Amino acid sequence: MKLKIITQERVVFDQEVDSVYSKGIDGEFGLLKGHLPMMTALDIGVTRAYIGDEVKKFTTMGGILQFKDEECLILTTLAEPGEEIDEARARQALEQAKLKLKNAQARMDAKRAEAAIARAEARLKARLTGESNLKMW
């Protein structure tokens, strides 16, 4: 099946894959060749594409996923391949967001901090390799 991940700025990924796993607003799901057509809203998370034994990881910061005719199309405002993510910067952003959440005075401040934490954690999950690293969350 074909996987295309597209943002407003660029085509992040456009290749044949064996399977796709992502995080929708209702939870995680997987798609294999022959899956029924579907469309869902994505949550902040990591999308994994499997090509043989290789795993490609991408942050997907919300958006829409559509699967039909053996093509998985993800339209999102921000997507980053795991190998392009600066791990130190993502860890720093995570710590700053946690500090903001701890010191949040208003409900809106807390919501912004929670969203920042989710984005930073998604970046770290996409950057780290190996399934064992993903279990830390």
Side-chain angles (χ1 to χ4, degrees), residues 47-71:
T47 296
R48 297 180 318 277
Y50 289 81
I51 307 164
D53 292 335
E54 184 182 7
V55 181
K56 299 263 188 188
K57 297 181 197 171
F58 306 88
T59 60
T60 43
M61 306 297 182
I64 300 290
L65 178 142
Q66 175 185 335
F67 183 80
K68 71 175 191 173
D69 301 326
E70 300 305 322
E71 180 176 85

Side-chain angles (χ1 to χ4, degrees), residues 28-124:
E28 292 195 25
F29 61 91
L31 298 167
L32 300 171
K33 190 174 183 177
H35 196 285
L36 292 173
M38 69 172 281
M39 182 177 279
T40 190
L42 294 177
D43 200 354
I44 295 171
V46 176
T47 296
R48 297 180 318 277
Y50 289 81
I51 307 164
D53 292 335
E54 184 182 7
V55 181
K56 299 263 188 188
K57 297 181 197 171
F58 306 88
T59 60
T60 43
M61 306 297 182
I64 300 290
L65 178 142
Q66 175 185 335
F67 183 80
K68 71 175 191 173
D69 301 326
E70 300 305 322
E71 180 176 85
C72 180
L73 175 63
I74 294 175
L75 301 174
T76 181
T77 53
L78 179 63
E80 300 165 295
E83 63 270 8
E84 291 180 13
I85 294 169
D86 181 338
E87 184 178 343
R89 186 173 169 217
R91 287 191 186 283
Q92 182 180 17
L94 178 60
E95 291 307 313
Q96 288 174 346
K98 285 180 177 179
L99 184 61
K100 284 182 184 177
L101 180 59
K102 184 177 177 182
N103 297 328
Q105 298 296 319
R107 186 173 179 204
M108 282 307 278
D109 288 343
K111 289 291 182 191
R112 284 189 198 112
E114 288 169 355
I117 289 170
R119 288 190 300 271
E121 287 180 342
R123 284 186 174 107
L124 288 170

